Amino acid sequence: MSNWSPKILAIRIHSLAATFSRSYHRNTALHHPPTGPPKLSPYDVNCILRANEHSQEFFGGSVKSYDSNQLASNSPIEDSRSEASCVHTSGLLVGIFDGHGGPACSQVISKRLMRYIAASLVPPDDLRQHMLGGAQSFSFLNCHNDKLEFVTEIKELYEKSFNQFANELTNTTLAGFQMHQTLENAFVRLDQDLSREAVEMPSLRTMSVAMSGAVALVAHIDGPHLHVASVGDCSAVLGTVTDTGQWVAKKLTNEHNSDNVGEVRRLLSEHPATERDTVIRGERLLGQLAPLRAMGDFRYKWSREQLEQLVVPQFGEQVIAPYYLTPPYLSACPEITHHILTPRDKFLIIASDGLWDTMSAMQTVHLVGEHMYGKAFLQPLKLPKQDITLGEISQMLSTRKAGLQKKPLDRNAATHLIRNALGGTEYGVEHSKLSHMLSLPQDIVRLFRDDITITVVYFDSEYLRNCPT
């Protein structure tokens, strides 16, 4: 703490106080649920928790499967998620997008950002041939859980922006390819396109995206190479097992908020010293926005003149934040981590902050690790094809009987995490607590829990043991 400047120390103190105030209701609900009979039956609880779950298996490559799920707090939910295999390369993309100020930006970037990244990974000469052949943005991905589609009006606009971006990519040189730069360029370019579309073609749809915002985390997995790109406060955690069978949680991301001293220093360095007391007030950007990096949110990026011309007539003077002097204040440039997977790396958890509000990275890794081993007992017992004695069968049945005590209630690991996040106690999941958290009225539920979106990606240890790096 002695290395912190007085300004950063003051911001940190304000941040801790505000965080305590914001989390008071949530902690009260999580640790002290009201007495009385549960409002929901176990069947009702399971229906709610499993309504949005999805699982996908793969054959060949470093990824065996993934589980994903989300539970709404806001109505409509402001989180989005995407999972897709790249068509022209061998990578898998998984993303979590946590919106604010409405779901528009989150929903749009969850589809478009993956397409920008997938196209960026295709060698320029190959990409040129695809574009000459009439390839469209969606043709670069095989989406596994995509239930949304853009309306025709906005789809054509987005396709035009994608074509321009892709055609510019064909002029790059393969020798200069860097994964970090590729991911960064996709994030920043999409954000620039969102801005340009709203400025050049203002409409209810383009402006709703521009005035809302979203933090984003995208993981790209190709063989042993894992890249994670993040803006905002979603998190990625790697579950690794040691020689002695102990679980280790390796966090691959940093939250871009006022709790991050390095991020505060970065932001303050980009503005005049005269604004050191106003760039962050309380724990928020200009006293308003919690994340210090995000996509969209152009009310913190456009010039004052643009805001007065495009936004104020529709939304009023209050759209311009106090002390709005030297924009942009908000960045869409991601922080990127590269990790080379080993056979000890068993799974990756990515999630919006609704999960991390309730449990630590180590808790999530323990829960998924236990679930991974316990899930084997959800499968029917299969005897080996070779000859087997009655004694060996008896031993298998004894082992299975002991293992059934650890059998998880949910097949989907993301559902397992949500169940424990909302209903977990030191003695296990408590139904009355879980029922209470799932039956809160819509007008107050946001005080007690946030939208939760989770994807758990499982790695193939045998593949990683034999593949070259």
Side-chain angles (χ1 to χ4, degrees):
M1 189 175 292
S2 59
N3 293 328
W4 293 2
S5 70
K7 172 59 183 172
I8 292 178
L9 180 58
I11 289 173
R12 179 65 175 142
I13 291 171
H14 282 300
S15 170
L16 289 172
T19 299
F20 174 81
S21 175
R22 184 184 69 239
S23 64
Y24 173 78
H25 287 97
R26 291 183 187 173
N27 288 335
T28 299
L30 287 171
H31 298 293
H32 303 285
T35 57
K39 296 181 180 180
L40 301 173
S41 69
Y43 175 82
D44 295 329
V45 165
N46 289 341
C47 288
I48 293 171
L49 291 181
R50 296 170 181 171
N52 298 306
E53 67 181 7
H54 179 80
S55 296
Q56 188 77 32
E57 292 186 355
F58 301 94
F59 301 96
S62 57
V63 176
K64 285 198 301 186
S65 63
Y66 74 78
D67 292 338
S68 69
N69 200 355
Q70 61 182 172
L71 178 71
S73 170
N74 294 290
S75 181
I77 188 171
E78 293 183 340
D79 281 8
S80 297
R81 72 192 200 235
S82 291
E83 308 96 35
S85 298
C86 298
V87 171
H88 302 296
T89 57
S90 54
L92 174 72
L93 288 164
V94 291
I96 301 286
F97 309 88
D98 185 352
H100 46 263
C105 185
S106 170
Q107 291 177 354
V108 166
I109 67 172
S110 70
K111 293 174 71 71
R112 297 183 69 187
L113 181 57
M114 309 291 258
R115 298 174 180 184
Y116 275 51
I117 294 172
S120 301
L121 298 173
V122 179
D125 289 343
D126 293 343
L127 181 59
R128 184 178 300 108
Q129 293 303 314
H130 292 309
M131 298 308 294
L132 289 173
Q136 294 184 292
S137 63
F138 61 83
S139 65
F140 287 86
L141 291 171
N142 177 20
C143 295
H144 303 297
N145 186 33
D146 187 1
K147 299 176 182 178
L148 297 173
E149 187 52 81
F150 298 130
V151 297
T152 302
E153 166 203 347
I154 208 75
K155 183 178 180 179
E156 292 175 353
L157 173 62
Y158 292 164
E159 203 62 35
K160 182 179 179 181
S161 294
F162 175 84
N163 287 337
Q164 184 176 346
F165 171 63
N167 286 325
E168 290 175 14
L169 289 174
T170 63
N171 295 321
T172 60
T173 57
L174 187 60
F177 178 85
Q178 294 289 335
M179 190 64 178
H180 280 64
Q181 187 60 46
T182 296
L183 291 170
E184 179 180 310
N185 185 51
F187 271 71
V188 173
R189 176 54 181 267
L190 175 56
D191 199 58
Q192 291 172 346
D193 283 350
L194 295 175
S195 173
R196 178 184 50 76
E197 289 157 2
V199 171
E200 295 180 0
M201 287 150 284
S203 68
L204 179 61
R205 296 186 188 279
T206 58
M207 290 301 292
S208 66
V209 174
M211 289 299 100
S212 60
V215 299
L217 186 154
V218 175
H220 176 264
I221 307 148
D222 190 355
H225 295 283
L226 166 63
H227 289 85
V228 178
S230 175
V231 291
D233 54 11
C234 295
S235 294
V237 174
L238 194 65
T240 302
V241 69
T242 67
D243 286 335
T244 58
Q246 301 299 308
W247 286 107
V248 175
K250 180 177 181 181
K251 195 170 180 186
L252 301 179
T253 50
N254 297 306
E255 290 80 26
H256 301 129
N257 55 32
S258 59
D259 291 337
N260 183 334
V261 176
E263 187 69 4
V264 171
R265 286 190 175 125
R266 176 197 66 79
L267 182 59
L268 293 178
S269 71
E270 295 174 356
H271 299 275
T274 53
E275 293 186 66
R276 293 182 70 83
D277 294 325
T278 58
V279 171
I280 297 178
R281 290 186 294 126
E283 65 169 353
R284 295 171 177 266
L285 181 71
L286 298 175
Q288 296 183 349
L289 189 67
L292 303 184
R293 301 192 201 190
M295 303 188 72
D297 285 315
F298 294 107
R299 57 179 296 198
Y300 304 107
K301 298 173 181 176
W302 285 342
S303 69
R304 176 177 283 271
E305 290 72 25
Q306 284 178 300
L307 292 177
E308 290 175 344
Q309 178 183 352
L310 295 170
V311 185
V312 169
Q314 187 173 352
F315 295 92
E317 289 285 348
Q318 70 276 6
V319 77
I320 303 179
Y323 306 104
Y324 195 81
L325 304 173
T326 56
Y329 289 94
L330 192 63
S331 172
C333 184
E335 188 172 0
I336 299 165
T337 301
H338 176 217
H339 175 83
I340 297 179
L341 296 167
T342 75
R344 299 195 185 284
D345 299 320
K346 302 302 180 183
F347 51 81
L348 173 73
I349 304 168
I350 63 173
S352 59
D353 65 343
L355 175 66
W356 311 113
D357 284 343
T358 64
M359 59 177 57
S360 68
M362 195 68 245
Q363 286 175 307
T364 64
V365 167
H366 273 299
L367 284 167
V368 173
E370 292 171 359
H371 181 270
M372 184 176 71
Y373 290 135
K375 191 166 61 171
F377 296 100
L378 291 172
Q379 305 300 325
L381 177 63
K382 292 183 179 180
L383 295 176
K385 293 181 179 180
Q386 66 268 25
D387 292 339
I388 186 170
T389 67
L390 288 174
E392 290 171 330
I393 293 175
S394 177
Q395 181 61 45
M396 288 176 63
L397 291 173
S398 296
T399 301
R400 185 171 179 84
K401 182 178 179 181
L404 286 173
Q405 298 177 4
K406 298 181 179 179
K407 181 182 70 173
L409 188 59
D410 303 295
R411 290 180 178 271
N412 186 296
T415 308
H416 181 66
L417 283 176
I418 295 174
R419 185 184 298 274
N420 280 270
L422 299 184
T425 71
E426 56 185 311
Y427 305 108
V429 176
E430 184 178 296
H431 173 69
S432 61
K433 180 180 177 183
L434 189 53
S435 170
H436 168 66
M437 293 301 292
L438 293 175
S439 57
L440 290 166
Q442 188 59 52
D443 58 342
I444 65 167
V445 62
R446 189 63 178 82
L447 295 172
F448 296 93
R449 61 179 177 85
D450 199 356
D451 297 332
I452 301 176
T453 302
I454 306 169
T455 299
V456 180
V457 180
Y458 292 98
F459 302 118
D460 188 327
S461 299
E462 198 59 35
Y463 176 93
L464 292 171
R465 188 172 287 112
N466 297 307
C467 75
T469 58

